[in-house]
Amino acid sequence: VAVGWSLHTGLYNFTASVALLLLIVGYFIRIDGRLNVWRGLLLVGLTGLLYFSHPLSLVTTYLTVGVVGVTTAVADARARRSWQLLYVRIASLLAVAVPSLILLLGFLADPGTVVPRDNPRGLRDSLAGALLLQWPLQVTRGDTGWITGLAAAVWAVVGALLVRRFMRRDWNRWDVLLAVSAVIFSCAVTLPDRLAGGTLLQPRLAIYALLTLLLWISVANADIGLAHWLGVGLGAVGVVVMVGLLTTRIGPYREIDTAIDEVAGVADAVLPGRTILGAVSSRAPNMSPVVP
């Protein structure tokens, strides 16, 4: 996200919401089964803050925390043979979600909030954009090689861990994160791209799918030695790709900076009540979401 599409498109509130999403999900995983009043109030505050950052990240948090919380609650209830424990855990989750959910429902109650439109991309392009991590990360054409390498590393790690799971039949409660990632990934490919009068839905969901997949790698496989080595390797590839993406974009962003200076240079000559007619610079770099 730090070098990806959302930040470079100027969606700073969405970028902040992704960080909050990770904080809330990670904190919940740490305290799962030990939720008390103070921890619940902290989660209420964080989810409220997340609503004001971006509602779509809030919905994704509901999905992730809800599925993980209910799955672990059912597992604990079966182990202790106490269905009352299940009811208490689910009630606690609902109590934490209610304040932010009221805000969200109020937002969605506006008839102009959700305006579905047709998907402008074909299923093939949508699938490629999500699988190759182009939507979460790509900004320039020069990014393709770096992102393809990172995508290959991610899917190689996921494949190796899944093969180990199937061979040893070694599944645990945290594997539900893989199912959550698959659901979000499916939504990123099939749902209409534009909601709320212009919200870019598919690239945002592609980011959530990737991050949930990384959560599965780290949380569900925390006790596996193979995962430690694969995680270190994936982290190293990620650092190299991050540096490569930043290096690739330095030149185009310098060109954008020059183009902006040209526009700003005539600002003082614009009379009150007049307007500047914008035109695409002939020296505009090839960056899909940014056209000076």
Side-chain angles (χ1 to χ4, degrees), residues 154-171 175 178 213 216-217 221 224 226-227 230:
V154 171
W155 293 117
V157 170
V158 172
L161 293 175
L162 281 178
V163 167
R164 183 190 181 280
R165 281 274 198 269
F166 280 109
M167 291 182 63
R168 300 192 179 189
R169 298 180 180 179
D170 181 22
W171 302 93
D175 286 316
L178 186 62
L213 190 63
W216 173 77
I217 292 173
N221 303 278
I224 299 175
L226 174 64
L230 291 175

Side-chain angles (χ1 to χ4, degrees), residues 132-156:
L132 299 178
L133 309 185
Q134 291 176 352
W135 284 345
L137 297 175
Q138 185 157 353
V139 176
T140 76
R141 286 188 179 180
D143 298 342
T144 303
W146 295 105
I147 294 171
T148 302
L150 181 60
V154 171
W155 293 117

Side-chain angles (χ1 to χ4, degrees), residues 105-127:
L105 292 177
F107 173 71
L108 296 176
D110 185 346
T113 296
V114 179
V115 184
R117 303 179 185 178
D118 292 335
N119 188 343
R121 306 180 182 91
L123 182 61
R124 181 178 178 180
D125 291 339
S126 299
L127 191 63

Side-chain angles (χ1 to χ4, degrees), residues 210-227:
L210 173 61
L211 293 177
T212 311
L213 190 63
L214 294 176
L215 275 175
W216 173 77
I217 292 173
S218 60
V219 176
N221 303 278
D223 298 329
I224 299 175
L226 174 64

Side-chain angles (χ1 to χ4, degrees), residues 242-265:
M242 181 182 71
V243 174
L245 291 177
L246 290 173
T247 303
T248 302
R249 296 171 188 172
I250 287 177
Y253 269 103
R254 284 178 175 171
E255 295 180 28
I256 287 179
D257 187 58
T258 302
I260 291 174
D261 285 343
E262 291 178 358
V263 175

Side-chain angles (χ1 to χ4, degrees), residues 7-230:
L7 183 65
H8 286 264
T9 311
L11 305 178
Y12 304 127
N13 64 319
F14 173 75
T15 303
S17 76
V18 173
L20 275 172
L21 183 155
L22 286 173
L23 175 64
I24 293 170
V25 173
Y27 179 68
F28 176 78
I29 288 174
R30 285 182 177 273
I31 66 165
D32 188 29
R34 299 181 292 112
L35 187 63
N36 56 27
V37 174
W38 297 111
R39 290 166 179 164
L41 288 175
L42 177 59
L43 285 173
V44 167
L46 289 173
T47 51
L49 184 60
L50 182 56
Y51 164 78
F52 289 107
S53 296
H54 203 279
L56 188 59
S57 290
L58 180 62
V59 173
T60 305
T61 301
Y62 288 155
L63 173 65
T64 307
V65 170
V67 171
V68 170
V70 171
T71 300
T72 57
V74 169
D76 290 341
R78 292 182 62 183
R80 301 179 187 180
R81 297 182 179 180
S82 172
W83 293 109
Q84 182 178 1
L85 174 64
L86 174 62
Y87 303 145
V88 171
R89 295 266 285 272
I90 293 177
S92 299
L93 286 175
L94 292 174
V96 167
V98 162
S100 56
L101 183 60
I102 292 174
L103 294 172
L104 180 63
L105 292 177
F107 173 71
L108 296 176
D110 185 346
T113 296
V114 179
V115 184
R117 303 179 185 178
D118 292 335
N119 188 343
R121 306 180 182 91
L123 182 61
R124 181 178 178 180
D125 291 339
S126 299
L127 191 63
L131 280 175
L132 299 178
L133 309 185
Q134 291 176 352
W135 284 345
L137 297 175
Q138 185 157 353
V139 176
T140 76
R141 286 188 179 180
D143 298 342
T144 303
W146 295 105
I147 294 171
T148 302
L150 181 60
V154 171
W155 293 117
V157 170
V158 172
L161 293 175
L162 281 178
V163 167
R164 183 190 181 280
R165 281 274 198 269
F166 280 109
M167 291 182 63
R168 300 192 179 189
R169 298 180 180 179
D170 181 22
W171 302 93
N172 61 54
R173 64 180 65 185
W174 304 114
D175 286 316
V176 72
L177 286 168
L178 186 62
V180 173
S181 181
V183 169
I184 298 174
F185 179 87
S186 300
C187 292
V189 172
T190 59
L191 287 182
D193 184 52
R194 295 183 178 273
L195 293 174
T199 298
L200 294 168
L201 182 67
Q202 289 179 317
R204 299 178 198 271
L205 291 175
I207 292 174
Y208 300 142
L210 173 61
L211 293 177
T212 311
L213 190 63
L214 294 176
L215 275 175
W216 173 77
I217 292 173
S218 60
V219 176
N221 303 278
D223 298 329
I224 299 175
L226 174 64
H228 293 169
W229 291 105
L230 291 175

